[in-house]
Amino acid sequence: MEETEMTRSRVVVIGGSAGSLEVLLKILPRIAIIPDFAIVIILHRKNSEDNTLEELIAIKTMIPVVEVEDKTPLLPGAIYICPSDYHLLFEKNGTLSLDISEKINYSRPSIDLSFESAADAYGNALTGILLSGANADGTAGLKAIRALGGTTIIQKPETADMPFMPRNAQQFAAPHYSFDANEILEYIKGM
């Protein structure tokens, strides 16, 4: 992939489940600034109203963390975290919306749903990264990102605590890259 394609990304979506928080905590503290794009994190977690994940990531990074509410504007320079028990959707007007429709792949948030709507809204200006997890959520989303011109990355399955999720995507979504945590970090820092 050429450098110009990498620098056009305006949004990085990161999905994951069991074992993915550890990867994020290796990556996010080592990124000082993201002036030209936003990071949106969609993680499977317990259905509750607590915002421990948001607080933990905010403590570990220098990048502002925005709590997502319905119709939150998506702007460069910040990290957005999908709240628990909501689906997160990307709107073409540059906002994020929340949805409480049925679970998909037994999950809400659904990584597939978020990735697919992000692909539809951002096309080739999107990078999708799928981390560790124990189910197939994220594979269809990565396929959609790739089909609409975005860049797709999975965590190397052999480095994942729960390799099923990236391995399934590797088999069925043909991601552009398979990276370990350090390579994901370098990719994001190079954007």
Side-chain angles (χ1 to χ4, degrees):
M1 177 164 295
E2 294 183 23
E3 182 70 22
T4 53
E5 291 181 57
M6 292 170 58
T7 57
R8 284 190 309 209
S9 294
R10 294 187 304 152
V11 178
V12 175
V13 288
I14 302 174
S17 189
S20 59
L21 180 59
E22 292 79 6
V23 178
L24 288 173
L25 294 179
K26 287 180 184 173
I27 294 171
L28 296 177
R30 296 166 62 193
I31 301 172
I33 187 168
I34 51 171
D36 302 325
F37 60 95
I39 295 175
V40 182
I41 297 170
I42 303 106
L43 293 189
H44 294 168
R45 55 184 167 153
K46 291 181 181 176
N47 300 339
S48 70
E49 292 186 10
D50 94 28
N51 54 0
T52 305
L53 178 63
E54 289 84 348
E55 292 172 356
L56 177 61
I57 290 178
I59 290 170
K60 297 289 186 179
T61 181
M62 295 170 274
I63 303 167
V65 174
V66 177
E67 291 191 30
V68 176
E69 297 178 0
D70 197 35
K71 307 304 179 198
T72 295
L74 180 59
L75 301 171
I79 295 172
Y80 299 78
I81 301 171
C82 179
S84 67
D85 211 23
Y86 286 95
H87 294 304
L88 183 143
L89 300 169
F90 293 76
E91 305 292 342
K92 289 186 176 178
N93 67 3
T95 63
L96 299 170
S97 64
L98 300 177
D99 180 283
I100 56 168
S101 60
E102 291 185 28
K103 293 181 178 181
I104 300 171
N105 291 321
Y106 310 101
S107 302
R108 190 173 52 219
S110 161
I111 298 168
D112 281 338
L113 189 62
S114 293
F115 279 17
E116 288 166 352
S117 74
D120 190 43
Y122 288 92
N124 66 4
L126 178 68
T127 297
I129 302 173
L130 189 63
L131 303 176
S132 175
N135 73 18
D137 197 16
T139 295
L142 282 184
K143 286 174 74 173
I145 292 170
R146 185 175 176 116
L148 293 173
T151 301
T152 55
I153 299 168
I154 60 166
Q155 180 182 358
K156 281 184 180 172
E158 60 271 24
T159 69
D161 283 350
M162 296 289 177
F164 184 87
M165 186 176 278
R167 186 169 288 138
N168 192 66
Q170 185 175 47
Q171 184 174 359
F172 297 109
H176 292 100
Y177 303 108
S178 178
F179 287 159
D180 64 24
N182 284 331
E183 290 168 324
I184 293 170
L185 170 67
E186 292 306 316
Y187 182 89
I188 293 173
K189 288 170 71 174
M191 293 179 60

